[in-house]
Amino acid sequence: MRAWSLSEVSALLRRLADLTPSRVLAAIKALRTPGVVTPRGISNKTASHYVTVIKGFTRWLHRDNRCPSDDLAPLQGFNEQIDRRRVRRDLLPDELHRVLVAAEASATVIVPRPFRNAENERRTGTVRMTCPDRVWAYRVAAGTGFRASEVASLTPDSFDLNADPPTITVAAGYSKHRRTDVQPIRRDLAEALVGFLEGKPIGEPVFSLPKKKAALLLRADMEAARAAWIAESAHRAERIEREKSDFLRHTDREGRVVDFHGLRHTFISRIVETGASVKTAQELARHSTPLLTIGRYAHTRREELAGALESLPETLDLRAAVLAERNRLTNDHQHQHQQSERRAMPRRSRSGEPVRSAPMNEDRGKSSWNGALGEPVRCGASDFESAEGGTRTHDLRVMNPAL
């Protein structure tokens, strides 16, 4: 397939008359082609975002009487679940502690930053951030659930550390849902922030987080923390096990990543672990629906699931049920063993002599008459057995004189 260029994609939608479902889908399909925007093409989530934005524009055109109708109203987005490019995970408490220790040990972190210039050519720059600003940015994000842009917008006026409870406020212009968010914080975090904020200029950002590149700094600190954790191993076998582990990996074996937004996942997961109600977790996460809070941001592990099951009250006497099942299986086994022994014993007549059955192919020349069907039937010796001194026959006229 020939690769599209951005100029060709933009040529699909130049006039209002071009805003038809077919041309919009054609433009999005071109953006999903590998190499146009990203090496793999845009994801289903990004494509659905474009659909939402374009539909909002055409809806405004119709309401403002600039278009007679909204032709994109029935246009649907894409299934994000089958094409999730970035699945995040949370940090364990020990992982977060080690990341903070590694960040404090490094005064400045400088990491490469790939980007594209005005001619759409790939270039490489650098991103840097000093300590302690970097460490406190991590602590505030993990203690509030703030996004990177919200942390970067905080000024000394955003902190009310003497309130009950202490709070940090995000202005509406920097909040994702465009409203002022007043987030309560723990008392110990507020007491620690007093010393950090001392001397910070009023009205100036407290944290100099690089725009959309804070994940690179966190990744560098995670790599340093992981290297220190592996170096702590006392034996070679332990070192090999730690190298195989996903502990402090920014991308684990399942493809889940930890970036700066992963600190928000960490905050919400710890809130849910405390046993807080769904409404409380939703309010602290500042989500419009609890489905997003519990379904995407709250993470659990198999050990936690097993522990939750073990902590359930015993509504049934499971031990008695297990013993009863074992007894039933034992009785069934004994019954089957007795039946097999009986089949193995030879049959005996009234005199106590064993009864020998003739082979199935013996006496093939003898025949009897099937009165019901009116045709001869060949019988063997096994068809005529001695039963209580009499003779058993298959001739229905003998068994039933009425015939």
Side-chain angles (χ1 to χ4, degrees):
M1 180 186 298
R2 184 183 65 84
W4 288 71
S5 64
L6 289 177
S7 60
E8 291 176 320
V9 175
S10 60
L12 293 173
L13 304 173
R14 288 184 177 275
R15 302 172 301 172
L16 294 181
D18 297 334
L19 294 178
T20 62
S22 59
R23 293 184 72 87
V24 169
L25 290 179
I28 293 178
K29 182 180 180 180
L31 293 176
R32 298 180 65 185
T33 304
V36 176
V37 180
T38 61
R40 297 174 56 188
I42 64 174
S43 64
N44 283 3
K45 182 177 181 179
T46 304
S48 298
H49 174 70
Y50 288 168
V51 170
T52 301
V53 172
I54 296 175
K55 288 179 64 175
F57 177 60
T58 57
R59 184 165 54 250
W60 171 80
L61 291 175
H62 177 58
R63 290 178 178 176
D64 203 42
N65 295 325
R66 296 174 183 268
C67 286
S69 62
D70 184 6
D71 296 335
L72 298 186
L75 192 62
Q76 300 294 327
F78 299 85
N79 189 349
E80 302 177 10
Q81 299 300 322
I82 64 176
D83 186 33
R84 293 187 64 182
R85 303 288 180 86
R86 182 176 292 270
V87 180
R88 294 182 174 91
R89 72 173 181 92
D90 61 321
L91 283 171
L92 294 172
D94 191 20
E95 287 181 307
L96 180 60
H97 171 71
R98 290 180 177 272
V99 169
L100 296 176
V101 171
E104 288 178 342
S106 176
T108 304
V109 168
I110 302 175
V111 294
R113 178 181 68 90
F115 68 97
R116 290 180 179 271
N117 58 13
E119 290 75 22
N120 201 28
E121 297 175 345
R122 291 185 177 274
R123 292 289 185 266
T124 301
T126 58
V127 176
R128 68 173 60 200
M129 190 174 180
T130 60
C131 180
D133 291 358
R134 195 170 72 257
V135 178
W136 282 104
Y138 298 158
R139 287 173 176 165
V140 169
T144 60
F146 287 167
R147 303 169 180 87
S149 59
E150 295 171 338
V151 173
S153 70
L154 299 178
T155 64
D157 297 334
S158 305
F159 298 83
D160 189 358
L161 305 181
N162 295 322
D164 188 18
T167 61
I168 303 178
T169 302
V170 176
Y174 299 97
S175 176
K176 185 177 181 179
H177 42 243
R178 295 297 181 264
R179 72 181 183 190
T180 301
D181 291 324
V182 181
Q183 183 78 344
I185 62 174
R186 289 172 55 95
R187 176 66 62 181
D188 55 352
L189 177 59
E191 293 175 354
L193 280 169
V194 173
F196 170 72
L197 294 176
E198 186 177 355
K200 294 290 183 180
I202 302 297
E204 295 295 327
V206 175
F207 306 105
S208 56
L209 278 176
K211 187 176 181 180
K212 297 184 179 180
K213 298 300 177 182
L216 298 177
L217 303 173
L218 180 61
R219 174 175 297 188
D221 288 324
M222 287 189 67
E223 291 176 350
R226 177 175 171 82
W229 174 67
I230 294 176
E232 292 176 1
S233 55
H235 305 285
R236 182 174 179 273
E238 182 182 1
R239 181 184 181 90
I240 294 176
E241 289 297 324
R242 291 193 176 191
E243 290 176 348
K244 294 179 180 179
S245 173
D246 284 335
F247 189 77
L248 285 172
R249 283 187 183 272
H250 53 76
T251 303
D252 61 11
R253 285 169 292 183
E254 298 180 7
R256 301 178 304 171
V257 300
V258 177
D259 52 11
F260 198 91
H261 203 71
L263 298 176
R264 177 170 171 80
H265 285 245
T266 301
F267 169 75
I268 297 175
S269 297
R270 300 295 86 79
I271 290 296
V272 174
E273 285 181 2
T274 62
S277 66
V278 176
K279 184 62 177 178
T280 300
Q282 177 192 351
E283 290 294 330
L284 290 174
R286 297 171 295 128
H287 284 151
S288 59
T289 169
L291 182 62
L292 184 61
T293 305
I294 304 300
R296 175 165 295 187
Y297 282 84
H299 299 269
T300 58
R301 292 171 177 81
R302 292 182 180 179
E303 296 81 4
E304 298 172 0
L305 298 178
L309 293 176
E310 292 297 332
S311 63
L312 289 175
E314 293 186 3
T315 55
L316 297 175
D317 191 357
L318 298 180
R319 295 181 179 178
V322 171
L323 293 176
E325 182 66 16
R326 290 178 179 175
N327 293 334
R328 185 187 67 79
L329 295 177
T330 302
N331 295 334
D332 291 347
H333 177 72
Q334 293 177 352
H335 179 71
Q336 293 176 1
H337 182 66
Q338 294 174 359
Q339 291 292 334
S340 61
E341 288 182 347
R342 290 175 182 174
R343 295 192 190 97
M345 296 176 60
R347 291 179 298 170
R348 297 181 179 274
S349 62
R350 287 188 173 183
S351 61
E353 297 295 330
V355 177
R356 186 179 67 85
S357 298
M360 292 299 297
N361 295 332
E362 191 175 300
D363 296 330
R364 289 189 176 185
K366 298 182 180 181
S367 63
S368 64
W369 190 266
N370 190 336
L373 301 178
E375 55 186 34
V377 179
R378 301 186 89 43
C379 304
S382 60
D383 296 323
F384 301 92
E385 299 176 356
S386 175
E388 298 182 0
T391 301
R392 182 178 298 161
T393 176
H394 292 283
D395 194 334
L396 299 181
R397 293 177 299 175
V398 175
M399 301 298 296
N400 190 353
L403 298 176

